[in-house]
Amino acid sequence: MAAPCRDLTGLRRGLAAARLAPGRRGANKLCLAPFHHRAPPPQQQQGRRRQRQGLKVVAAISEDLPRLAAPGTGKGAPEGRRPEKVLVRAALTVRRKHKEDLKEALAGHLDALWDMVGRSVALELISTKIHPRTKKPLHSGQASIKDWCQKRGVKGEHVVYTAEFMVDSDFGEPGAITVANRHHREFFLESIVVEGGLPCGPVHFACNSWVQSTRELPGKRVFFSNKPYLPSETPPGLRELRDKELKDLRGDGTGVRKLSDRIYDYATYNDLGNPDRGKEFIRPILGGDNIPYPRRCRTGRPPTDTNMLAESRVEKPHRIYVPRDEAFEELKQGAFSSGRLRAVLHTLIPSMIATISAETHSFQGFHHVDNLYKEGLRLKLGLQEHLFQKIPLVQKIQESSEGMLRYDTPRILSKDKFAWLRDDEFARQTVAGINPVSITRLTVFPPVSKMDPAIYGPPESSITEAHITGQLNGLTVQQAVDEAKLFILDYHDVYMPFLDRINAIEGRKAYATRTILFLTKAGTLKPIAIELSLPPSKAGEPRPSKVLTPPADATSNWLWMLAKAHVSSNDAGVHQLVNHWLRTHAVMEPFILAAHRRMSAMHPVFKLLHPHMRYTLEINALARQSLISADGVIESCFTPGPVSFEISAAYYRDHWRRVAVEDASQPHGIRLLIEDYPYANDGLLLWSAIRSWVESYVQLYYPDAGTVQSDDELQGWYHETVHVGHADIRHAPWWPSLSTPGDLASILTTLVWLASAQHAALNFGQYPLGGYVPNRPPLMRRLLPDPERDAAEYATFMADPHRFFLNAMPGVLEATKFMAVVDTLSTHSPDEEYLGEERDEPWTGDAAAVAAHDMFTADVRRAEEAIDSRNADQRRKNRCGAGVLPYELLAPSSPPGVTCRGVPNSISI
């Protein structure tokens, strides 16, 4: 006998075809055919397969829900009679947590009890139509979820709940649905599918949102169907809701934000310091006329006690506010927390040693660095025994956590342990390493500073033709410049204004560096000169500087190695502070805030951008909490220390560097000046795929300039991003206009690129390529030895250059702390969503947009195949050769973990 519809099981059994029970004509209940009488329909079998594969499953209801005529109505009803009634059912897919603590479990049982007495989850359908007389949107009337209590014990991550509505047959298409959660706790609503006797067919609502209890946030949540609408095309029944939802998301700019809020607003970076802890923790406010910077998400926390302009801080383990739906989901949070625990254990022993010993402990030999990957953190540095006697807890921790305390071997050591010592590898990493975006063509020789000569002295570099002529394969310097054979890493003007303050910090030493590289006939680069400069002792005087060239003897070899280490340290700082943090994380945040504030979830451009905004606000908030804050990881582990983010802000005005020229004859319209440039070669493949996808998508909705210019939401998003989110540089001449479909496609292509490929190239190689600290020291502790400045130090260097080199590197504490953090930052979480992946949820109701995305998926797959082929091509010497690592940072797919590959859709770590 058929089971009553109240006995619908959860996702495990699926939803069978509904039908009227015999003998129940006109009844308002549906019954299901017995599950054991027939095989599941093909759609259900496919759903089970997807579930086994770990894909999202969207609830579906049968496609033959009948119309149920109200008494006295029907086809033959006289004119003027009320329209017939139809039964419509909503299926809600709710995702449960994998693990519940005791408090959550008790709240769940309490919610089930409340549900039994009527305090349930209530829904209401809203039509795209308006009432012909009142001109108000048509509402279905409220319906409650019937089976919440019964399914409390259903196992599985997803549970499907149902609610039923009786609506007029001329209700029209449901365009929105409201949800009122009258339980005690929030729940995560993945999707809703509405089906029934309406002519529009099934309507999908992609929710993916936390629904708060009405006790926490009074009022109803509204979700729109997955059909995209430009503002001018919004159906009459949805216009008020569309405007109200955006107004609610913007808030009123006041008050302290609660973790359950969904309000997107702007603030300056006034929470990096903590003046209440002391003057050494005071940091300048980033953002405003004094120090231009992008805006971040407002939290509304009260000011500190000692500075009314500085916002009070929230320290770990307390959560910092981001809008509720921006927070990490459970899988991501679990992976991130595990990484944090691993980082804590990795740095625990060095930190405890540092607290009881005033001495800064250096590595005693390269084999002690190697031991980090072989034996873990209890290094045989000649200092352990007496210290471990004082802290026996460390011994117990080490014995019980041996696996957690050992570092994974960085990939840079996997094929050639000594490759980092070679000049060709040093140069190769400028185009295939962690920071492949800083190298640029040298167009003027000698290089010239743009700084004020009245303060910093003559602008010309100390590098002369005599230094490099012998390294140019018979070319003159001018010929090499004209033929685009000379390139430069120029960090002179970046660091020079801050060097006096950096070098005054104990244990920090830095130069402002320039490195000139020559492009050989083999297509590889080689460093031919390094300039190390310090500020002038008096304003306007010449700067003290050293110029080093490739070594000819043992002494010059060690000095050359130290010079390369200082260049790498400069490069590491610019990579982290500018190219990685500023130019992806921080630059994207205002675009994301404005998108939520100004574009409805129905807007086609919002739908395009949505996967590329995932988790970014949360990871940026966590960065403010512990990475970029005063005495945080960046200040502790990188040479600039407390002035780090002043350097980042100084870069904010600068333009992107270029190592390419436009050339219509080339496949992507660009001719690379370095042909074997792995980052750029692979980047152009993904850029082209993204551009084609975005252009195809934009053409679906914007046939001409008028449609772009008349779209109030689109124009409001871009205007607010520039004039509020990037207010300090809003008048910069390089902001592109937004007037044509081409303008829009170009802007969106850039944003998708930044959030996906650009961030991936700069982030996921941090541990694999930078986890071996001698290869790429994040900070330096000594200047080069100079017999005139310090004869005793120079004598120490001459006596034991190996020890001097290691003492110039980060100490054990700085190195292990840095390694632990970049290990976490280089990790893909299990719920990562990658560029070009097939999307199993109905993210849009536009079949043409789905078809365009399918083409994008195919383009990305072809790009990955091309990258694999390039890595096997021995003509490409910067990615293939004896001991040479393949370049995979822009290979789109990846398993979880530290893989040195994979391009997620968004800045999620």
Side-chain angles (χ1 to χ4, degrees):
M1 186 171 178
C5 51
R6 286 193 182 89
D7 293 335
L8 268 171
T9 59
L11 192 64
R12 268 179 56 196
R13 303 187 77 179
L15 290 160
R19 61 188 64 193
L20 283 171
R24 302 289 299 281
R25 186 178 182 182
N28 287 343
K29 294 182 179 179
L30 294 174
C31 290
L32 298 175
F35 286 103
H36 61 275
H37 281 181
R38 67 170 80 180
Q43 295 93 335
Q44 185 179 334
Q45 294 176 349
Q46 184 181 11
R48 289 180 178 174
R49 286 196 297 271
R50 287 184 174 180
Q51 200 175 2
R52 287 194 296 268
Q53 294 165 3
L55 299 175
K56 290 183 180 178
V57 181
V58 180
I61 299 180
S62 65
E63 302 211 4
D64 58 347
L65 280 175
R67 299 185 177 202
L68 298 176
T73 65
K75 288 185 179 179
E79 257 187 67
R81 288 281 187 94
R82 296 179 62 187
E84 66 179 26
K85 294 285 185 180
V86 295
L87 178 66
V88 176
R89 180 177 293 170
L92 296 80
T93 300
V94 172
R95 187 171 72 221
R96 289 180 171 175
K97 295 183 70 173
H98 288 95
K99 297 179 181 179
E100 288 185 335
D101 58 29
L102 180 59
K103 182 179 179 181
E104 290 171 329
L106 290 174
H109 287 294
L110 185 61
D111 284 345
L113 293 174
W114 274 95
D115 198 83
M116 293 177 66
V117 298
R119 295 287 297 174
S120 56
V121 177
L123 293 82
E124 189 171 27
L125 298 177
I126 300 167
S127 173
T128 56
K129 296 168 58 176
I130 57 175
H131 194 283
R133 180 172 53 82
T134 66
K135 306 302 181 183
K136 295 291 185 183
L138 292 176
H139 290 244
S140 66
Q142 191 166 280
S144 297
I145 289 178
K146 301 294 185 183
D147 45 1
W148 191 284
C149 179
Q150 293 90 325
K151 293 181 179 177
R152 170 64 189 160
V154 171
K155 304 296 183 183
E157 182 182 5
H158 296 87
V159 182
V160 178
Y161 301 101
T162 58
E164 297 172 358
F165 304 88
M166 294 297 298
V167 300
D168 293 341
S169 59
D170 61 354
F171 180 77
E173 181 178 344
I177 187 167
T178 63
V179 182
N181 174 15
R182 297 182 294 196
H183 291 166
H184 283 77
R185 65 174 184 167
E186 66 181 5
F187 64 86
F188 190 83
L189 181 59
E190 273 198 357
S191 64
I192 303 174
V193 180
V194 174
E195 284 187 282
L198 297 173
C200 62
V203 180
H204 294 267
F205 297 79
C207 306
N208 293 309
S209 179
W210 290 97
V211 180
Q212 301 298 321
S213 167
T214 52
R215 291 168 171 249
E216 183 73 23
L217 291 177
K220 302 175 181 178
R221 284 293 309 280
V222 60
F223 297 99
F224 297 104
S225 77
N226 66 347
K227 285 194 173 181
Y229 295 106
L230 294 174
S232 61
E233 299 170 347
T234 308
L238 304 181
R239 288 172 187 163
E240 286 185 12
L241 273 180
R242 183 172 187 149
D243 292 340
K244 182 181 183 302
E245 175 74 354
L246 286 175
K247 183 178 179 182
D248 290 344
L249 289 171
R250 289 194 291 268
D252 62 6
T254 64
V256 178
R257 298 275 64 85
K258 300 182 295 184
L259 293 176
S260 57
D261 285 345
R262 296 173 58 248
I263 294 176
Y264 298 78
D265 205 353
Y266 302 94
T268 59
Y269 283 76
N270 63 347
D271 63 342
L272 302 184
N274 190 352
D276 292 347
R277 287 182 62 187
K279 64 180 182 180
E280 66 271 28
F281 294 98
I282 295 174
R283 295 294 180 271
I285 295 172
L286 304 185
D289 293 338
N290 291 333
I291 305 180
Y293 214 65
R295 299 301 186 261
R296 48 95 173 176
C297 184
R298 179 184 179 274
T299 68
R301 297 192 303 268
T304 61
D305 294 335
T306 55
N307 185 345
M308 292 299 292
L309 298 178
E311 188 173 270
S312 57
R313 289 185 52 76
V314 174
E315 304 292 356
K316 294 183 297 185
H318 301 292
R319 288 175 56 193
I320 190 169
Y321 171 77
V322 293
R324 183 64 183 96
D325 291 339
E326 305 301 321
F328 289 164
E329 296 174 17
E330 189 178 11
L331 274 175
K332 175 73 173 181
Q333 184 60 53
F336 190 77
S337 297
S338 297
R340 272 188 164 178
L341 174 61
R342 184 178 172 91
V344 167
L345 290 173
H346 273 145
T347 58
L348 179 61
I349 294 174
S351 297
M352 295 182 75
I353 291 171
T355 62
I356 62 172
S357 173
E359 183 183 350
T360 299
H361 299 292
S362 302
F363 292 103
Q364 302 301 300
F366 287 112
H367 62 287
H368 290 140
V369 182
D370 297 341
N371 283 345
L372 290 172
Y373 319 113
K374 297 177 182 177
E375 301 178 8
L377 280 180
R378 186 169 179 184
L379 310 178
K380 298 177 181 178
L381 300 179
L383 51 86
Q384 300 289 348
E385 297 305 324
H386 71 285
L387 291 173
F388 273 88
Q389 291 172 5
K390 297 179 183 178
I391 43 176
L393 172 64
V394 173
Q395 180 72 45
K396 293 182 179 179
I397 291 173
Q398 178 137 342
E399 290 171 356
S400 63
S401 308
E402 184 177 352
M404 292 290 285
L405 293 175
R406 186 182 298 116
Y407 288 86
D408 294 328
T409 301
R411 198 176 185 204
I412 193 70
L413 301 179
S414 64
K415 297 191 74 173
D416 184 348
K417 183 178 177 181
F418 302 106
W420 67 276
L421 291 165
R422 300 197 315 266
D423 284 358
D424 65 287
E425 177 63 17
F426 171 83
R428 190 191 71 85
Q429 290 184 29
T430 66
V431 293
I434 308 167
N435 186 37
V437 297
S438 286
I439 189 170
T440 188
R441 179 186 175 187
L442 181 64
T443 57
V444 175
F445 188 89
V448 178
S449 170
K450 295 179 181 179
M451 302 178 71
D452 186 353
I455 299 174
Y456 297 103
E460 292 80 14
S461 167
S462 298
I463 303 174
T464 66
E465 291 193 10
H467 286 119
I468 65 172
T469 298
Q471 304 285 334
L472 303 181
N473 290 355
L475 298 176
T476 66
V477 172
Q478 192 57 50
Q479 286 174 327
V481 169
D482 293 342
E483 295 178 19
K485 298 294 185 182
L486 293 181
F487 294 83
I488 187 169
L489 286 178
D490 192 347
Y491 299 129
H492 180 277
D493 290 5
V494 181
Y495 279 88
M496 182 60 71
F498 304 97
L499 283 183
D500 283 334
R501 293 164 63 191
I502 293 172
N503 290 334
I505 302 170
E506 184 178 358
R508 304 290 172 95
K509 290 293 181 282
Y511 295 100
T513 69
R514 290 188 180 104
T515 305
I516 295 181
L517 302 104
F518 178 70
L519 182 63
T520 69
K521 292 180 179 179
T524 58
L525 293 163
K526 67 175 182 178
I528 58 175
I530 296 175
E531 180 183 22
L532 307 175
S533 299
L534 293 170
S537 55
K538 292 183 180 180
E541 291 187 353
R543 297 177 303 279
S545 64
K546 298 176 182 291
V547 176
L548 293 95
T549 55
D553 55 47
T555 301
S556 60
N557 182 70
W558 281 106
L559 293 172
W560 181 248
M561 284 179 59
L562 284 164
K564 289 194 295 182
H566 273 282
V567 172
S568 295
S569 177
N570 271 193
D571 188 73
V574 170
H575 162 256
Q576 200 67 265
L577 302 172
V578 179
N579 295 327
H580 179 204
W581 166 259
L582 172 65
R583 287 182 166 167
T584 60
H585 287 260
V587 161
M588 280 296 297
E589 186 155 349
F591 285 94
I592 294 170
L593 292 170
H596 285 280
R597 288 167 53 86
R598 295 296 171 183
M599 286 194 291
S600 168
M602 291 187 280
H603 199 291
V605 171
F606 186 91
K607 290 181 178 293
L608 173 77
L609 288 177
H610 188 254
H612 305 289
M613 303 188 291
R614 185 179 187 229
Y615 293 154
T616 302
L617 297 187
E618 170 84 341
I619 198 63
N620 285 4
L622 290 169
R624 297 201 316 274
Q625 190 175 48
S626 58
L627 254 67
I628 67 174
S629 57
D631 203 34
V633 172
I634 299 296
E635 289 193 3
S636 300
C637 297
F638 288 82
T639 296
V643 304
S644 291
F645 282 86
E646 293 178 63
I647 291 178
S648 180
Y651 242 99
Y652 183 44
R653 296 186 183 93
D654 289 353
H655 293 233
W656 300 92
R657 289 186 170 94
R658 294 175 59 187
V659 285
V661 293
E662 294 183 4
D663 186 341
S665 67
Q666 296 298 309
H668 305 287
I670 293 291
R671 177 171 59 86
L672 294 175
L673 299 178
I674 304 171
E675 291 185 10
D676 184 11
Y677 190 168
Y679 157 77
N681 297 140
D682 297 355
L684 283 172
L685 290 177
L686 296 187
W687 173 271
S688 180
I690 293 168
R691 183 180 60 191
S692 296
W693 148 238
V694 170
E695 288 175 348
S696 298
Y697 189 87
V698 166
Q699 288 169 7
L700 297 176
Y701 306 101
Y702 298 97
D704 52 45
T707 51
V708 174
Q709 295 166 19
S710 63
D711 187 335
D712 292 340
E713 286 185 8
L714 180 71
Q715 294 294 335
W717 162 68
Y718 190 58
H719 183 273
E720 183 172 290
T721 298
V722 175
H723 287 81
V724 181
H726 289 282
D728 306 327
I729 56 171
R730 63 189 180 278
H731 299 304
W734 42 260
W735 283 109
S737 62
L738 179 53
S739 300
T740 68
D743 294 341
L744 176 58
S746 177
I747 291 167
L748 294 177
T749 298
T750 301
L751 294 179
V752 173
W753 162 263
L754 286 176
S756 58
Q758 180 79 336
H759 178 259
L762 295 168
N763 183 75
F764 292 103
Q766 289 189 81
Y767 186 80
L769 306 181
Y772 184 67
V773 171
N775 172 59
R776 187 179 172 78
L779 67 82
M780 294 294 287
R781 294 186 292 152
R782 288 189 178 185
L783 299 175
L784 266 64
D786 185 337
E788 295 182 3
R789 187 189 73 243
D790 189 332
E793 181 187 62
Y794 190 80
T796 301
F797 160 71
M798 293 295 289
D800 194 343
H802 171 262
R803 177 67 59 87
F804 188 95
F805 182 86
L806 289 171
N807 287 344
M809 297 283 108
V812 175
L813 177 59
E814 295 96 344
T816 53
K817 187 174 185 178
F818 167 78
M819 292 164 61
V821 170
V822 296
D823 180 46
T824 301
L825 298 182
S826 302
T827 301
H828 290 293
S829 68
D831 70 339
E832 202 85 88
E833 296 176 358
Y834 293 96
L835 188 70
E837 271 189 339
E838 294 180 1
R839 301 174 68 173
D840 55 302
E841 63 176 12
W843 62 279
T844 180
D846 188 338
V850 172
H853 190 271
D854 289 343
M855 293 180 65
F856 175 52
T857 297
D859 286 344
V860 172
R861 286 177 177 167
R862 283 191 289 271
E864 184 156 11
E865 292 170 359
I867 290 170
D868 291 341
S869 176
R870 289 171 175 178
N871 284 326
D873 185 350
Q874 293 188 12
R875 294 170 298 176
R876 299 177 181 267
K877 300 183 185 301
N878 285 323
R879 62 196 308 162
C880 183
V884 176
L885 290 177
Y887 186 77
E888 297 180 310
L889 285 170
L890 289 175
S893 66
S894 174
V898 179
T899 63
C900 203
R901 62 176 292 138
V903 180
N905 276 326
S906 62
I907 301 166
S908 57
I909 190 66

